[in-house]
Amino acid sequence: MPVKFSIQRLSTYYGSVQALRSLSMDVAPNRILGIIGPAGSGKTSFLRTLNRLNDLLPDFRAEGRVLLDGVDINGPDTDPVLLRRRVGMVFAMPVPLPMSIYENLVYGPKLTGIRDYQRLGEIVEKSLRAAFLWDEVKDRLNLPALRLSGGQQQRLCLARTLALSPEVILLDEPSSGLDPISTARIEEALAELKSAYTIILVTNNTKQASRVADETAFFLMGELIEIGPTEKIFTAPKDRRTEDYVTGRFG
């Protein structure tokens, strides 16, 4: 199977505190990788390492290698800004910019130099459709984004990431605090998006991982305990700790 990300003996540190412990795993393209595990397992730290957001923290350091399409993302020839365009991230708490829905979506493309009004309009519609939000907001694109519901704001943030045409989408608890209907809309969007993107989904909801992920990785205390096809992880895991977690014995 082709590989989008290859993680090789990755360890990360915040000062003297180690967050990840010698992780090695491959992430296939055009698939959804679910990452599960209790709080404090290093799941978010792992996501932030994949697009070098942790570099913004003065006491952070990483060991090992992270290859994107065979190129070390921490190598001297990698521009972190360009990397973050290729590897976009959607956070647990939606943070729309304090402007209209339309301006939220064209903000990034404008920074990359796109000025053509027609082209920007195409990006807005395509991104909103991909995030399953177009039909709900197409007649009120000038509405302040902060007036959208929580679920709509989260899908707007997903659309804003898509507007920059990334190759990989990182999602950190995208359904946290959302109602079941909004959660279902997010999951429907992810199922459609994986044909065009590589998706890595961190979730504390094991049922969500079982519904949408093609592969699932179980993290515990900074270590990768097990990774494999989702059905196998949830029905016949190799490690007793994985079984205990997915069956609710701890977590």
Side-chain angles (χ1 to χ4, degrees):
M1 182 177 294
V3 174
K4 190 65 178 178
F5 267 116
S6 179
I7 293 91
Q8 303 173 359
R9 300 186 63 82
L10 174 65
S11 295
T12 62
Y13 303 83
Y14 299 93
S16 60
V17 178
Q18 187 170 6
L20 298 175
R21 303 176 184 275
S22 194
L23 265 66
S24 293
M25 60 191 291
D26 288 336
V27 180
N30 303 113
R31 308 275 285 176
I32 299 178
L33 171 65
I35 301 179
I36 61 174
S41 294
K43 304 186 299 297
T44 296
S45 182
F46 175 70
L47 283 192
R48 292 173 60 91
T49 300
L50 296 183
N51 68 352
R52 293 182 56 176
L53 274 180
N54 281 329
D55 288 13
L56 303 175
L57 304 175
D59 61 347
F60 175 81
R61 64 186 175 91
E63 299 173 353
R65 298 210 302 167
V66 178
L67 307 181
L68 175 61
D69 291 331
V71 177
D72 191 341
I73 68 168
N74 294 301
D77 296 329
T78 298
D79 182 338
V81 176
L82 295 180
L83 172 67
R84 291 171 196 141
R85 284 176 56 185
R86 295 180 65 193
V87 184
M89 187 162 179
V90 179
F91 299 93
M93 181 68 68
V95 186
L97 300 173
M99 51 184 67
S100 71
I101 296 169
Y102 177 87
E103 289 297 331
N104 262 267
L105 291 165
V106 301
Y107 183 81
K110 282 183 176 180
L111 289 179
T112 69
I114 299 175
R115 291 289 185 271
D116 181 74
Y117 182 80
Q118 181 176 349
R119 175 67 181 129
L120 291 172
E122 292 170 353
I123 291 173
V124 168
E125 180 174 350
K126 181 180 178 181
S127 302
L128 288 173
R129 284 190 183 279
F132 280 41
L133 189 56
W134 172 252
D135 289 338
E136 297 172 39
V137 302
K138 62 183 179 182
D139 297 323
R140 45 184 182 142
L141 294 178
N142 292 322
L143 181 79
L146 293 173
R147 289 176 58 183
L148 295 174
S149 70
Q152 290 173 327
Q153 287 186 21
Q154 188 62 288
R155 281 180 282 148
L156 176 66
C157 290
L158 174 58
R160 195 172 65 198
T161 297
L162 297 175
L164 288 171
S165 300
E167 301 168 28
V168 180
I169 305 171
L170 311 176
L171 300 113
D172 188 10
E173 291 288 339
S175 302
S176 177
L178 298 185
D179 61 83
I181 294 176
S182 296
T183 296
R185 297 292 280 174
I186 292 284
E187 293 177 2
E188 288 175 31
L190 297 184
E192 293 288 335
L193 289 170
K194 73 176 182 180
S195 63
Y197 305 90
T198 301
I199 299 173
I200 304 178
L201 167 69
V202 162
T203 177
N204 286 328
N205 185 337
T206 55
K207 291 183 179 179
Q208 181 175 67
S210 69
R211 288 192 298 265
V212 304
D214 298 296
E215 286 84 35
T216 297
F218 173 52
F219 284 23
L220 182 64
M221 298 180 67
E223 296 183 12
L224 172 62
I225 303 303
E226 188 170 351
I227 182 171
T230 295
E231 183 178 1
K232 185 174 181 180
I233 292 293
F234 280 90
T235 60
K238 296 178 181 178
D239 194 288
R240 177 61 182 270
R241 291 168 293 180
T242 307
E243 181 178 359
D244 287 346
Y245 183 76
V246 300
T247 56
R249 292 193 179 96
F250 78 93

